[in-house]
Amino acid sequence: MIEIKIIGKGGQGIVLVGEVLAHASVLEGSYASAIAGYGSQARGGEVSCDVIIAQREILAPFVMKPDYLLCLSFDTYQKNRSLITEKTKVFLNTENQEEEEGHFLIPASGIAQKVCQNPQVANMVMLGAFTALTKIVSLDSIMVALSERMKGKILEGNIRALKEGYQRMARDGCPEARRKI
């Protein structure tokens, strides 16, 4: 069983990342669940999505000790540091933080802005990087799951960001990350 917790702020597409990841897992023959959690604010409040991927039925769909923690906001990362265990691999959307053991710094917001000219697709850059580094699901399955959720130019922009995050990690990547995972 693989436990993944995705955290960030409202409006960053946290739930979309979780649902696409879970759906892609199902497409590949696994069982999966994605449960969203919201703060009281409509936009800008903390949002989380618990994703569990397993080879048998999932009885408890909540992540207690994540294998992976994807953080799209440094603020929510700081608030949720207590979730990190020795086995947790952290993927943090940042360019300016000090690297910690088991933490992979992904400049998702910077890539989304500079390369894709759309800061709103940072979540897809992060999902692409996560997919490349963990190989939990294939990029093809992620793209199929995403295409079942959106169409047209919105889909095109999200696919571009997804591929950019994937290719940067597969090409330039973190050689250390590949060894640790």
Side-chain angles (χ1 to χ4, degrees):
M1 184 164 58
I2 299 169
E3 295 187 20
I4 305 162
K5 188 165 205 71
I6 306 158
I7 58 174
K9 293 183 179 182
Q12 287 187 302
I14 303 302
V15 176
L16 176 64
V17 169
E19 290 176 350
V20 167
L21 184 56
H23 186 82
S25 300
V26 170
L27 291 172
E28 293 186 358
S30 296
Y31 290 89
S33 67
I35 304 290
Y38 302 93
S40 59
Q41 293 176 297
R43 194 156 182 76
E46 188 172 326
V47 176
S48 67
C49 189
D50 288 357
V51 176
I52 297 181
I53 301 168
Q55 296 307 308
R56 61 182 186 275
E57 286 187 46
I58 298 165
L59 302 176
F62 299 101
V63 171
M64 304 308 287
K65 295 180 180 177
D67 298 300
Y68 300 97
L69 182 63
L70 275 72
C71 311
L72 269 83
S73 158
F74 190 72
D75 293 345
T76 55
Y77 162 75
Q78 288 185 308
K79 289 178 188 174
N80 288 278
R81 286 181 65 100
S82 63
L83 295 172
I84 300 170
T85 68
E86 288 179 9
K87 70 173 185 161
T88 306
K89 303 295 184 206
V90 178
F91 292 77
L92 183 57
N93 174 20
T94 186
E95 296 178 34
N96 303 320
Q97 302 305 319
E98 298 264 335
E99 191 163 349
E100 295 183 41
E101 183 69 30
H103 285 47
F104 309 111
L105 306 182
I106 313 294
S109 293
I111 293 168
Q113 180 65 47
K114 292 174 193 162
V115 177
C116 303
Q117 286 81 47
N118 183 355
Q120 292 181 316
V121 295
N123 61 338
M124 290 296 118
V125 173
M126 183 68 90
L127 180 57
F130 177 77
T131 301
L133 292 171
T134 65
K135 310 274 192 270
I136 292 171
V137 295
S138 70
L139 180 62
D140 289 340
S141 294
I142 293 283
M143 289 191 301
V144 169
L146 191 59
S147 69
E148 291 180 8
R149 304 226 5 135
M150 55 186 66
K151 302 288 180 218
K153 291 198 181 288
I154 293 173
L155 175 62
E156 290 172 18
N158 279 274
I159 293 285
R160 181 174 178 222
L162 181 70
K163 286 181 176 179
E164 187 67 33
Y166 185 92
Q167 291 167 351
R168 281 181 181 242
M169 289 304 113
R171 179 185 66 227
D172 307 331
C174 304
E176 301 82 25
R178 286 198 205 103
R179 269 199 308 275
K180 290 178 191 172
I181 290 177

